[in-house]
């Protein structure tokens, strides 16, 4: 054990020295020292090695830790890139960051300014623009953008696009269309979100019994199969929703 501890300390000091030598941000010292082995690995993946498909999960963990320590890091970098070069790519990066921060009006303005020339129907632009409109409460506009995306890029995340389009219909009051569109997704949607959203729509329409049955199916699936962390979120929400419905009926 003492030998292993010595190796870990040596690794930390080596990585800290590299960060100092290469003028990396000072918060890396905290990451490296607070998470002895993981911190060094995260530093290596985020700052040294270009990301590959197999590294994305761990690199995301590293970026999440860095963002928690320095939440404005990405925002400042993307703002600087946009100031230097007002390209469509930089506008989209900045707009995506604004959406993540809940700054929807500002994001919408950037998406609008990026819709020009051959980028007018660009898939990433249309989807990001639709998300910003949706989260800003502009459901009809979001649905129109998603319809354009389905028309011009039918293979672009078809299930996610169709689900958000149905949710937009539900939000602006077209309940029957929303139910019909989600029902079409239930048997082919990869993951639990579609069924959870279906239960949500049913409950809002006053069909509590059917909503409860759908939530129970989500929970049962989560118990019987190995699911991802993202799917566990929907299972947790289903359990919470079912508990609330049970308590309200008691």
């Amino acid at each position: 054990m003492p030998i292993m501890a010595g190796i870990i300390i040596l690794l930390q000091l080596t990585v800290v020295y590299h960060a100092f030598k290469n003028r990396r941000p000072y918060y890396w010292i905290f990451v490296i020292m607070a998470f002895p082995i993981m911190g060094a690995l995260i530093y290596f993946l985020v700052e040294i090695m270009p990301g590959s498909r197999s590294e994305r999960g761990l690199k995301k963990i590293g970026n999440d830790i860095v963002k928690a320590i320095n939440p404005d890091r990405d925002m400042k970098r993307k703002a600087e890139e946009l100031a230097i070069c007002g390209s469509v790519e930089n506008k989209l990066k900045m707009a995506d960051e604004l959406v993540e921060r809940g700054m929807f009006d500002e994001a919408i303005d950037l998406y609008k300014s990026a819709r020009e020339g051959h980028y007018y129907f660009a898939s990433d632009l249309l989807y990001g623009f639709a998300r910003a409109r949706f989260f800003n409460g502009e459901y009809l506009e979001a649905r129109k953008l998603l319809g354009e995306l389905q028309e011009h890029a039918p293979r672009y995340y078809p299930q996610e696009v169709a689900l958000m389009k149905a949710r937009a219909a539900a939000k602006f009051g077209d309940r029957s269309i929303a139910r019909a569109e989600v029902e079409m997704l239930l048997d082919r949607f990869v993951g639990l979100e579609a069924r959870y959203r279906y239960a949500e729509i049913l409950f809002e329409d006053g069909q509590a019994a059917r909503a409860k049955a759908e939530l129970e199916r989500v929970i049962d699936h989560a118990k019987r199969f190995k699911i991802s962390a993202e799917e566990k979120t929907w299972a947790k929400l289903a359990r919470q929703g079912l508990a609330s419905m049970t308590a309200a009926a008691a």
Side-chain angles (χ1 to χ4, degrees), residues 219-237:
I219 296 166
D220 181 62
H221 181 96
K223 288 178 179 177
R224 291 168 54 202
F225 301 99
K226 185 177 180 180
I227 58 175
S228 67
E230 182 179 354
E231 297 310 304
K232 288 178 181 178
T233 300
W234 298 114
K236 180 180 179 180
L237 289 171

Side-chain angles (χ1 to χ4, degrees), residues 85 88 90 221 228 250:
C85 176
V88 170
N90 285 342
H221 181 96
S228 67

Side-chain angles (χ1 to χ4, degrees), residues 2-15:
I3 296 175
M4 181 61 68
I7 292 173
I8 293 173
I9 292 171
L10 180 61
L11 174 65
Q12 287 178 295
L13 293 175
T14 301
V15 178

